[in-house]
Amino acid sequence: MGADLHDIRYVRIGCDDLDTSVRFATDILGLELMERDGNRAYLRGDDRDHNICYTQGRESGQVTGWEVASLDALDEAAKAFEASGVTVRAGTSEERELRRVRGLIVVSDPTGNIIELVARPDACGRRYFPTRDAGILNFSHVGLHTRNPSADEAFWVRNLGGKVSDWIGDAALIRINDVHHNVALFPSTRAGIQHVNFQVESIDDIMRSFYHLQKNNVRIVFGPGRHPTSGARFLYFQGPDDIVYEYSTGVRLITAEDEKTYVPRQFPKAESSFCMWGSVPDIPEFRVPQPNGSAVARAA
Ligand SMILES: O=C/C=C/C(C(=O)O)=C(/O)C(=O)O
Ligand SMILES: [Fe+2]
């Protein structure tokens, strides 16, 4: 059996310039800066210790962090990886400290995305208090680039205990708890984080941000729109370091009751599978091939 992931916990994103990333995250995205020094900055959009850790230098890489329920569960996960031939590295005490966790193991998916499993991450007794009211409720999911969709999907299902909720073409939207997807694997030519999602309270927050971002010359890359897959209303926009951020609201939950009968749906790789309102993405991994061989770019 694979690891039993409880929830997504954090992303770590190597950035060209820490100040630029922190300014974007606080003034535009609406996160709370928790701590920073010359090398890293911790930010959050919910009551956890942090959701994003920006690290100075793109070469410091991109990582996603996933919580398991206990230190014992982490040991079990390490054994299961080894038994199935997956290389596992135990985190050092310095790495655990930097991630504010008690337990840490590190694996890679077949594409080479670094996946950290953590136990007993720090909670925070203070509530999330942003400088900009974007209506953020919580950090919710990531999109990952995949060079090998079937191998990475199999890794998430067999080794990480995920379940496919839906496919759009070869892209699998995968859940590890009752949220429709906590990770989505988008076919690409490289590894890395494709987008970072925060749930917001309502469609009003999406639209308020749509105008706020435009006023601040942030490039909107998709939306406002609605995903037929999860039913969420969304807005995607371009952040620093080639990271796209997404606000969405109303993501479907697949409850224990739904689980009894739920089967994943196959959506074709068509515009209507990405947005049911007609918004056209300016995101390479979401572009739909056209009959004449070109890819549709966002309407001017
Ligand atoms: O358009 C593709 C994305 C679908 C969804 C969704 O169903 O909510 C995402 O948010 C995603 O995969 O990131
Ligand atoms: Fe998303």
Side-chain angles (χ1 to χ4, degrees):
M1 206 201 90
D4 188 9
L5 304 185
H6 173 65
D7 205 353
I8 189 166
R9 193 69 199 188
Y10 57 73
V11 288
R12 295 174 66 81
I13 297 172
C15 51
D16 286 334
D17 178 48
L18 210 45
D19 287 334
T20 304
S21 295
V22 169
R23 211 174 312 116
F24 182 87
T26 50
D27 300 355
I28 300 297
L29 196 49
L31 301 185
E32 178 184 1
L33 178 63
M34 296 296 282
E35 218 184 304
R36 80 158 284 182
D37 60 21
N39 290 321
R40 47 192 76 77
Y42 297 82
L43 296 111
R44 67 173 183 168
D46 57 34
D47 287 350
R48 292 177 275 193
D49 176 80
H50 68 278
N51 312 129
I52 300 183
C53 177
Y54 291 113
T55 52
Q56 179 57 51
R58 280 237 202 167
E59 66 288 352
S60 52
Q62 297 181 346
V63 166
T64 58
W66 303 82
E67 183 181 0
V68 300
S70 64
L71 289 167
D72 284 345
L74 197 62
D75 285 343
E76 288 306 313
K79 282 185 206 142
F81 284 128
E82 271 157 12
S84 54
V86 175
T87 305
V88 194
R89 183 175 72 76
T92 63
S93 59
E94 191 195 355
E95 287 173 323
R96 290 197 300 271
E97 214 160 285
L98 290 173
R99 287 153 181 75
R100 321 289 193 236
V101 300
R102 300 295 178 101
L104 170 68
I105 61 174
V106 186
V107 294
S108 296
D109 70 11
T111 281
N113 289 304
I114 299 169
I115 295 165
E116 299 186 342
L117 273 62
V118 305
R120 291 176 59 184
D122 274 2
C124 177
R126 276 189 301 109
R127 68 181 165 182
Y128 158 59
F129 188 71
T131 43
R132 164 175 125 70
D133 178 18
I136 292 178
L137 295 176
N138 62 285
F139 173 43
S140 187
H141 70 254
V142 286
L144 291 178
H145 291 274
T146 172
R147 277 189 279 244
N148 189 338
S150 57
D152 287 337
E153 180 186 317
F155 183 78
W156 271 92
V157 171
R158 293 194 198 127
N159 297 102
L160 295 172
K163 291 179 186 144
V164 176
S165 292
D166 287 314
W167 292 274
I168 304 175
D170 292 331
L173 277 56
I174 295 172
R175 68 187 184 278
I176 55 158
N177 51 33
D178 63 355
V179 179
H180 176 274
H181 58 282
N182 317 86
V183 62
L185 306 174
F186 294 106
S188 170
T189 51
R190 63 184 181 95
I193 294 172
Q194 190 259 359
H195 75 270
V196 175
N197 171 283
F198 285 88
Q199 291 294 304
V200 295
E201 203 172 304
S202 72
I203 186 66
D204 291 334
D205 296 307
I206 301 265
M207 294 310 295
R208 268 192 287 266
S209 282
F210 178 59
Y211 293 110
H212 177 80
L213 298 180
Q214 283 180 317
K215 210 184 284 174
N216 285 276
N217 300 314
V218 175
R219 195 162 72 86
I220 310 287
V221 293
F222 193 18
R226 184 166 193 189
H227 291 307
T229 38
S230 68
R233 274 72 52 92
F234 64 79
L235 182 68
Y236 290 73
F237 48 102
Q238 186 66 55
D241 305 300
D242 283 333
I243 301 288
V244 166
Y245 292 87
E246 176 190 13
Y247 295 129
S248 67
T249 185
V251 66
R252 175 176 180 179
L253 298 183
I254 297 174
T255 62
E257 192 54 34
D258 296 335
E259 283 282 357
K260 294 177 187 164
T261 53
Y262 190 85
V263 286
R265 297 162 298 176
Q266 175 68 59
F267 288 80
K269 190 163 183 187
E271 278 170 19
S272 58
S273 304
F274 288 92
C275 179
M276 58 201 282
W277 291 350
S279 173
V280 178
D282 187 10
I283 299 177
E285 298 72 36
F286 292 1
R287 255 178 228 142
V288 170
Q290 297 302 293
N292 66 4
S294 67
V296 155
R298 187 188 173 81

